[in-house]
Amino acid sequence: MSEFDLIRRHFTRATPSALLGVGDDAALLQVSAGNVLAVSSDMLVCGTHFFTDADPYLLGHKTLAVNLSDMAAMGANPRWATLALSLPKVDEAWLEQFSAGFFSLAQQHGVELIGGDTTRGPLNLCVTIMGEVPQGKTLRRDGAQVGDEVWVSGSLGDAALGLAHLQGKIDLPEDARIHCLAALHQPTPRVALGLALRGVATSAIDISDGLLSDLGHILERSQVGGEIDFVTLPIPDVMISNELKQRCVLSGGDDYELCFTAPAARHVDILSISEKLNLPLTRIGKIVAGQGWVIQDATGNQLKIESTGYEHFQ
Amino acid sequence: MSEFDLIRRHFTRATPSALLGVGDDAALLQVSAGNVLAVSSDMLVCGTHFFTDADPYLLGHKTLAVNLSDMAAMGANPRWATLALSLPKVDEAWLEQFSAGFFSLAQQHGVELIGGDTTRGPLNLCVTIMGEVPQGKTLRRDGAQVGDEVWVSGSLGDAALGLAHLQGKIDLPEDARIHCLAALHQPTPRVALGLALRGVATSAIDISDGLLSDLGHILERSQVGGEIDFVTLPIPDVMISNELKQRCVLSGGDDYELCFTAPAARHVDILSISEKLNLPLTRIGKIVAGQGWVIQDATGNQLKIESTGYEHFQ
């Protein structure tokens, strides 16, 4: 099968929202009036982000999901994506499953695959996602204000617990295992939440490297500090050691929940968004003057944290 | 060095043309009024597109150049790029040279790096490029008309000859070697030509997989045929066998010249563009009714061609 057949068979779907889709030197897109374009790229590498035997359907889902999560964190409405993939060989069954997982999630979010590249090489998946957001309504990292509340969506640490289970570090009971492995393999990007937070949140980020690392980016860019109450964190109810729990929740990667800040005056609005989306939103602390975060336990003592996030090159 | 330090040190330059550049969940871009966005992704993989010992400065150049070439082929003015790279390890000297080559070419074309990703894994470079083109002025593959002339820029086969030399298949004399290796390692994207051809050419493509393969895409999308005169092809003056010459010129990859069609009535306009840009533009044949291409030798006999282009998966 040629590269062109491969693209035609597995990666060409209708692109009614594009002026020109797959099949030319570039796709042509029209950004809606009054909107700016939000653009982000994420690369998933075999051996680094997933195992060789990863289920291709779930991998197709996750490849797009981590990119949709970036759109959510900007308050952008995802519209288009390119997919560049490097494959060791053409495996029809794998490609069929991978593209099915990718397009299933794309369709849910109205995202069209408008271009990309296929080439031979070690398995590598690179998506660039493009979305729209009305000018002035973007959720940036640099808008947190002293006095804001800090919130997170969903629960934290599930994916990290799932990974720890796969690595044989813990042995999760069946219910928790199913839940945590789903969080790891098939994360739900919080796109609807990002859209709902336009004009409500003062800053937002998606949690991909662990809460503390990613919250740290908001604090740094906004030049403020943060106080987090450990007991308020939405943590899966699993019987594991406190140390491991802390590590997974605070520094585990792959959550793809949103961490955001909003004025205390919007507290009720956020609870109403939570109810409308049927998605837990938890106030976990507040923004203070200063820099960096502190984490307090139930008695108000500061927790000491060693690792603060996933690092590719350390 | 952390991933964040790596990005800060090597891949963060001013992005005055973006509303928001590197450092948030996504970049924010404003497409100029009256323009549409042209988007393309190209991935370069170690072992497939370049050798392990490739000069990092030239590799940085080429990684961007092949993407700029796609903008040229659409008649788009390149504006922004994302770069996702997977690296086996952090090699400061390599990164410094790679980013210097990348940014040197970016600066020449006013392109800003507005985002991307860095991760650990086999060396892989993925660029998504975004450009602007006034609505209705794009150079697509599907506009060739019966009676149009077929043109190519520059000369064909140089990069393929350079590769054949590196592979020990031929032994080029010094002058030709320098020229052909430069064409292979440091191709010149024909961006200015693409802009000049707006409103003149009826279709265009950049030659990355070999003339016949890429011209074939224009013919297929335009539902026309093409007659090419072999003797008119702009071929480097190198003493090698006719068979190898044909293969390099017709089916060799990595030329990154433009192949385009234009009405015969625009012949003089094209010669004047050639003069203005100081870039050879050669009429190599014409568009006819039918499908596919034929190639004629000096006596009008059809040449038989076996391989018609680079294929990753064959």
Side-chain angles (χ1 to χ4, degrees), chain A residues 29 37 41 48 82 120 128 141, chain B residues 29 37 41 48 82 120 128:
Chain A
L29 310 175
L37 190 78
S41 293
T48 302
T82 64
R120 186 187 288 279
T128 298
R141 295 179 180 178
Chain B
L29 310 176
L37 190 78
S41 293
T48 302
T82 64
R120 186 187 289 277
T128 298

Side-chain angles (χ1 to χ4, degrees), chain B residues 208-224:
Chain B
S208 56
D209 293 333
L211 172 66
L212 295 182
S213 172
D214 289 317
L215 172 62
H217 295 307
I218 285 184
L219 301 180
E220 191 187 341
R221 302 273 294 193
S222 300
Q223 298 188 282
V224 292

Side-chain angles (χ1 to χ4, degrees), chain A residues 1-4 117-121, chain B residues 43 45 47-50 160 163 167 169 207-214 217 247-248 250-256 306-314:
Chain A
M1 184 168 56
S2 78
E3 181 183 354
F4 308 109
D117 194 12
T118 55
T119 183
R120 186 187 288 279
Chain B
M43 186 179 256
V45 182
T48 302
H49 300 92
F50 58 89
L163 182 63
Q167 292 172 331
K169 294 178 183 168
I207 306 176
S208 56
D209 293 333
L211 172 66
L212 295 182
S213 172
D214 289 317
H217 295 307
R247 204 185 308 153
C248 286
L250 297 173
S251 318
D254 272 358
D255 284 318
Y256 302 107
E306 280 172 22
S307 161
T308 61
Y310 185 77
E311 273 286 354
H312 280 297
F313 296 109
Q314 283 184 335

Side-chain angles (χ1 to χ4, degrees), chain A residues 1-6 8 19-31 35-46 48-49 69-71 73-74 82-90 114-122 124-128 130 133 135 138-142 204-206 209 213-214 217 220-221 310-314, chain B residues 1-6 8 19-31 35-46 48-49 69-71 73-74 82-90 114-122 124-128 130 133 135 138-142 204-206 209 213-214 217 220-221 310-314:
Chain A
M1 184 168 56
S2 78
E3 181 183 354
F4 308 109
D5 292 334
L6 187 160
R8 205 170 289 141
L19 301 172
L20 183 64
V22 173
D24 212 301
D25 293 291
L28 296 172
L29 310 175
Q30 176 86 66
V31 177
N35 282 253
V36 300
L37 190 78
V39 181
S40 178
S41 293
D42 260 319
M43 187 180 254
L44 269 68
V45 182
C46 185
T48 302
H49 300 93
S69 183
D70 285 317
M71 293 291 98
M74 294 305 286
T82 64
L83 168 65
L85 71 169
S86 169
L87 303 166
K89 65 178 195 299
V90 174
I114 49 91
D117 194 12
T118 55
T119 183
R120 186 187 288 279
N124 182 308
L125 309 157
C126 183
V127 166
T128 298
M130 286 152 279
V133 55
Q135 193 148 19
T138 51
L139 305 178
R140 299 165 54 143
R141 295 179 180 178
D142 59 6
I205 192 169
D206 73 317
D209 294 332
S213 172
D214 289 315
H217 294 307
E220 190 186 342
R221 303 273 294 194
Y310 186 77
E311 273 286 355
H312 280 296
F313 296 109
Q314 282 183 336
Chain B
M1 184 168 55
S2 79
E3 181 183 354
F4 307 108
D5 292 335
L6 186 161
R8 206 169 289 141
L19 301 172
L20 183 65
V22 173
D24 211 300
D25 293 291
L28 296 172
L29 310 176
Q30 176 85 66
V31 177
N35 283 253
V36 300
L37 190 78
V39 181
S40 178
S41 293
D42 260 319
M43 186 179 256
L44 269 68
V45 182
C46 185
T48 302
H49 300 92
S69 183
D70 285 317
M71 293 291 99
M74 294 305 287
T82 64
L83 169 65
L85 71 170
S86 168
L87 303 166
K89 65 179 195 302
V90 173
I114 48 92
D117 195 11
T118 56
T119 182
R120 186 187 289 277
N124 182 308
L125 309 156
C126 183
V127 166
T128 298
M130 286 151 279
V133 55
Q135 194 148 19
T138 51
L139 305 178
R140 299 166 54 144
R141 295 180 179 177
D142 58 6
I205 193 169
D206 73 319
D209 293 333
S213 172
D214 289 317
H217 295 307
E220 191 187 341
R221 302 273 294 193
Y310 185 77
E311 273 286 354
H312 280 297
F313 296 109
Q314 283 184 335

Side-chain angles (χ1 to χ4, degrees), chain B residues 11 27 52 61 73 99 103 119 124-125 176 206 232 262 277 285 291 301:
Chain B
F11 295 107
T52 314
H61 172 102
S99 61
F103 280 114
T119 182
N124 182 308
L125 309 156
D206 73 319
T232 64
L277 299 179
Q291 55 181 332
N301 291 321

